[in-house]
Amino acid sequence: MLRWIIFIILYIALGVYTLQALRAVTRFPWVYFAYMAMSLLVLGNFIYQFTLGDNPGRVLSVPKSYAFGFLLAMLSFKAITIIFLFSEDIFRFISALYLKINGTPKFFNFPERRRFLSVLALGIAALPFSALLYGMYRGKYNFKVLRYNLEFEDLPDGFDGYQITQISDVHSGSFDNREKIEYAIDLINQQKSDLLLFTGDLVNNKAEEMLPWKDLFATLHAKDGKYSILGNHDYGDYVEWDTEELKRNNLEQLKDLQQEIGFELLLNESRYLTKGNDKIALIGVENWGRGGFKKAGDLNKATAQIMEKDFKILMSHDPSHWEDEVLKHPYHYHLTLSGHTHGMQFGIEIPGWIKWSPVKWRYKYWAGVYEELGQMINVNRGFGFLGYPGRVGIWPEITVITLKKKPLT
């Protein structure tokens, strides 16, 4: 309760401070009242959804996600405005102090706020505010197909030109638009890939989240099959279960759902894919992540039935596994496919110019293709979304990878 009281006081204080910029820009009272009403409505909805709503507690429902999203947009607007106002107030204080010391005014008076600076502050603050609202309205379903041609010297000849579609981080419990998901499923099938690989996080927390979408995902197809692994959210670790048995049953239900959809779930296992006399090894490990995430992945167990010389494709949900274990493993993993980061669902990407997201401060390998020690990884930006119900600049991704035989020089 104390945390809520402190949060409410801080939120209202920030709102009152931001109101000073509006007062400097316009003299229409209805603008002030509209701002205050919207600010309080966002706060009230957030408190309601996280305390008295239909789904209180840690589990994120769609209404709770939107409540968080609107709060995030409002806080970003206030924070940026306050940065300008606070900077100006420091200057105003120094100016008033200087004049007082020199005996110019009889009393200690602050100079008036400069209207131009308030207009600038509100204008800049409106950019992330609008972007976050757009991200919730359209950005989260702005699916992009990203294509990569990856060359390997020791790729078996039969797999030259072999096409793989990768999706990751579905987070079906966050979906709220069936038409958009139907479009995305059709987009995946339009790629007509040889292989479809899903690299974890089918749900946010509970297997039941996937039930409304099971029939759609069952229509996914690829010539040589569909394979999947588990992500950290698939284990139900972020739910306060009444009993351990309920948690175990939830995981078993999710495994059954994957089978019903048509995915072959690899749990620290491997399979051979063949083309004539040529073959490549497909390996799938359970989740392994640093920083408190579940470490159920076992590379040695997963590769017990394959040979060191085999061409290998590894599915591992968290890219920190590649950095911490895969690269150091005695076996050479030609290509690893991961997800997990979502690109933080926020950033700036202009191909060939800039690729930036705050998530880079946590994950060295956070989006796209990287190469280290002659081994490659693709970190998929995610199909769905979690927490903030939107995406800004980092769009939902369908990856299409074509394996190519590197010409001998």
Side-chain angles (χ1 to χ4, degrees):
M1 178 60 72
L2 180 61
R3 287 182 298 176
W4 280 109
I5 293 173
I6 294 173
F7 172 73
I8 291 170
I9 292 173
L10 288 175
Y11 181 88
I12 292 175
L14 292 175
V16 172
Y17 201 9
T18 305
L19 186 60
Q20 306 310 307
L22 288 172
R23 290 184 178 277
V25 170
T26 179
R27 300 302 179 192
F28 294 106
W30 69 266
V31 176
Y32 316 148
F33 291 126
Y35 163 75
M36 290 187 290
M38 183 170 62
S39 182
L40 292 174
L41 180 63
V42 168
L43 175 63
N45 182 49
F46 180 80
I47 294 173
Y48 171 76
Q49 293 296 342
F50 280 82
T51 56
L52 302 173
D54 293 336
N55 196 11
R58 295 177 62 188
V59 178
L60 272 176
S61 62
V62 172
K64 286 171 72 173
S65 293
Y66 274 98
F68 172 71
F70 286 123
L71 182 77
L72 185 64
M74 184 61 70
L75 285 174
S76 71
F77 179 81
K78 293 180 179 182
I80 293 176
T81 303
I82 287 171
I83 289 173
F84 281 86
L85 294 186
F86 187 69
S87 301
E88 184 185 23
D89 284 344
I90 293 175
F91 176 79
R92 291 169 68 207
F93 176 79
I94 293 173
S95 297
L97 183 63
Y98 174 79
L99 293 174
K100 179 63 180 174
I101 292 173
N102 284 275
T104 303
K106 187 175 182 180
F107 302 101
F108 190 86
N109 292 324
F110 275 86
E112 289 189 3
R113 290 193 180 278
R114 289 173 291 180
R115 185 175 183 275
F116 168 76
L117 197 61
S118 293
V119 171
L120 181 64
L122 293 173
I124 294 177
L127 295 177
F129 178 77
S130 302
L132 287 167
L133 294 181
Y134 173 82
M136 291 190 284
Y137 174 57
R138 296 197 64 175
K140 62 188 176 185
Y141 295 127
N142 187 23
F143 294 98
K144 301 295 183 183
V145 177
L146 301 185
R147 304 180 186 277
Y148 301 101
N149 292 323
L150 303 183
E151 294 186 335
F152 304 90
E153 291 181 352
D154 54 348
L155 178 70
D157 292 338
F159 287 88
D160 187 19
Y162 195 75
Q163 184 170 293
I164 301 168
T165 292
Q166 179 200 2
I167 58 173
S168 191
D169 299 271
V170 166
H171 290 287
S172 55
S174 300
F175 294 157
D176 58 2
N177 190 318
R178 189 174 182 86
E179 183 179 347
K180 296 294 185 181
I181 302 304
E182 289 176 349
Y183 163 77
I185 296 296
D186 288 341
L187 193 59
I188 294 171
N189 285 332
Q190 287 172 18
Q191 308 313 310
K192 298 181 179 179
S193 290
D194 298 291
L195 190 67
L196 176 60
L197 302 179
F198 169 60
T199 47
D201 278 0
L202 189 64
V203 297
N204 294 343
N205 295 287
K206 296 184 176 181
E208 64 188 36
E209 298 166 10
M210 189 62 193
L211 294 177
W213 313 97
K214 181 178 71 171
D215 60 326
L216 273 181
F217 280 80
T219 64
L220 290 170
H221 57 81
K223 301 170 187 175
D224 295 339
K226 306 182 292 186
Y227 294 85
S228 64
I229 57 172
L230 296 177
N232 56 297
H233 280 267
D234 294 323
Y235 295 90
D237 287 344
Y238 311 120
V239 178
E240 295 175 358
W241 300 95
D242 292 334
T243 66
E244 281 299 313
E245 183 180 5
L246 286 174
K247 183 179 179 180
R248 287 194 298 270
N249 289 341
N250 177 74
L251 181 56
E252 292 306 313
Q253 183 185 2
L254 186 132
K255 292 177 182 178
D256 292 341
L257 275 170
Q258 297 230 18
Q259 184 177 4
E260 292 170 22
I261 291 170
F263 284 112
E264 185 173 350
L265 182 62
L266 300 181
L267 301 169
N268 294 324
E269 300 172 271
S270 63
R271 299 287 186 272
Y272 277 117
L273 306 173
T274 60
K275 291 290 181 183
N277 294 325
D278 293 321
K279 65 180 181 180
I280 61 175
L282 177 65
I283 304 142
V285 295
E286 294 195 51
N287 190 78
W288 192 104
R290 76 160 80 106
F293 289 108
K294 181 181 287 291
K295 289 180 169 62
D298 188 332
L299 265 179
N300 292 327
K301 179 181 178 182
T303 56
Q305 304 300 320
I306 67 172
M307 305 295 292
E308 183 177 354
K309 65 179 182 179
D310 290 329
F311 186 94
K312 305 171 197 68
I313 297 176
L314 171 66
M315 292 192 293
S316 180
H317 178 70
D318 191 321
S320 65
H321 186 220
W322 188 69
E323 182 179 0
D324 292 353
E325 287 211 332
V326 177
L327 287 173
K328 302 171 185 177
H329 195 267
Y331 281 11
H332 180 90
Y333 295 89
H334 299 75
L335 175 62
T336 298
L337 302 177
S338 297
H340 182 61
T341 71
H342 299 204
M344 203 174 171
Q345 298 168 210
F346 179 87
I348 302 171
E349 286 197 84
I350 303 175
W353 290 85
I354 186 172
K355 184 175 78 172
W356 178 88
S357 168
V359 78
K360 68 178 292 184
W361 297 324
R362 168 103 189 232
Y363 293 97
K364 181 178 180 180
Y365 309 102
W366 60 273
V369 175
Y370 303 86
E371 184 174 2
E372 297 282 353
L373 303 176
Q375 303 174 73
M376 293 187 186
I377 185 173
N378 178 64
V379 184
N380 184 284
R381 293 160 181 81
F383 182 92
F385 48 92
L386 180 69
Y388 165 61
R391 284 178 175 267
V392 179
I394 306 293
W395 311 120
E397 175 181 344
I398 298 163
T399 311
V400 178
I401 295 173
T402 302
L403 305 180
K404 303 293 290 185
K405 181 85 172 186
K406 189 174 184 178
L408 295 176
T409 55

